[in-house]
Amino acid sequence: MPRTCLVTGAASGIGKATAARLRAQGHSVIGADLKDADICADLATADGRVQLVTQARELTGGRLDAVIAGAGLAAFDPVTVKVNYFGAVATLEGLRPLLAVGQDPRAVAISSVAILHPHDSAIVDAALADDEVAASALAQAAVDREEGQLIYGASKAALARWVRRAAVTEGWAGAGIALNAIAPGTVLTPMTQALIDNPGLRDIADSSVPMPLNGHARPEQVAALLAWLTSPENSHVTGQIIFIDGGTDAVLRGDGIC
Ligand code: NAD
């Protein structure tokens, strides 16, 4: 049965591939992004987040079956925590009432294997305390001490923890809405292109994100998992961080989780 889905980050990479897959399956997809989308909104800002929800209501009549919060970036800049955590949480929480009246409602956030790498735990704590000013200031402090690389993993770790906490609450599980996160390894998208095109940087990336099964992923391969997680077939997977990483997690953590 055709579903109504909303995908953020729909103009590029994983979001674009996911929107295309869902459309090919016959679903109606509303894409959101900075530009080239049905809803053009800047999820780094409070206004943009309100605009997303307002326009989503108008375009859907107030009802959604699936949401994929994919918009993100990996800049050594506070904007990374604003979009990757606060933008994603605002997307999911803002659209939750639309999902609550949907059919077999499902939502997924895109985290990252970067949660397995060292990151700034103070940013994680500030984000989970819903303090965007403090989280942004801590991110700027990381940049100032030339540790801007610690921001991305922190933004994605906070998002993963938020998903696990929220998924089992009355507002999500209690309303019948499955909520998960995926944690991709290296995916061949515009976000990673400069890294992959540079042999030196590519070697560094591959040693920190080892992918023994099939190497780097294409966005279409990640889209297949997102499409399943947001389908009615997913009746009981919720609160999970699902690694789609060619084995990175198993290599880096080994027995560490069981
Ligand atoms: P991408 O750059 O191809 O797509 C990201 C999209 O997010 C872009 O279209 C961009 O315009 C949008 N976006 C960025 N800032 C925004 C803002 N302020 N408001 C609205 N939209 C904004 O990258 P991708 O690889 O497809 O990344 C998709 C998601 O997957 C991101 O959250 C990223 O962190 C995550 N991820 C990617 C990889 C990878 O290797 N590519 C790995 C793990 C996780």
Side-chain angles (χ1 to χ4, degrees), residues 9 11-15 33-34 41-44 70-73 83-84 110-112 152 156 184-187 189-192:
S12 179
I14 296 169
D33 209 303
L34 286 169
D42 182 354
L43 296 175
L73 75 170
V83 178
N84 294 5
I110 306 188
S111 181
S112 168
Y152 181 75
K156 295 297 190 180
T186 303
V187 187
T189 70
M191 178 181 282
T192 51

Side-chain angles (χ1 to χ4, degrees), residues 97-110:
L98 284 70
L99 286 167
V101 293
Q103 181 72 40
D104 301 312
R106 314 281 182 253
V108 185
I110 306 188

Side-chain angles (χ1 to χ4, degrees), residues 182-205:
I182 63 162
T186 303
V187 187
L188 301 170
T189 70
M191 178 181 282
T192 51
Q193 189 160 359
L195 196 71
I196 297 304
D197 289 349
N198 178 317
L201 293 178
R202 180 183 173 130
D203 285 350
I204 294 169

Side-chain angles (χ1 to χ4, degrees), residues 23 36 45 51 54 67 71-72 77 85 97 110-111 121 123 130 140 145 155 164 169 172-174 178 185 197 207:
R23 285 191 183 110
D36 303 327
T45 68
Q51 192 187 332
T54 305
V67 171
D77 187 284
Y85 180 81
I110 306 188
S111 181
S121 60
I123 296 175
D130 198 26
Q140 185 58 53
R145 58 174 196 273
S155 70
R164 286 183 64 78
T169 61
W172 289 92
D197 289 349
S207 63

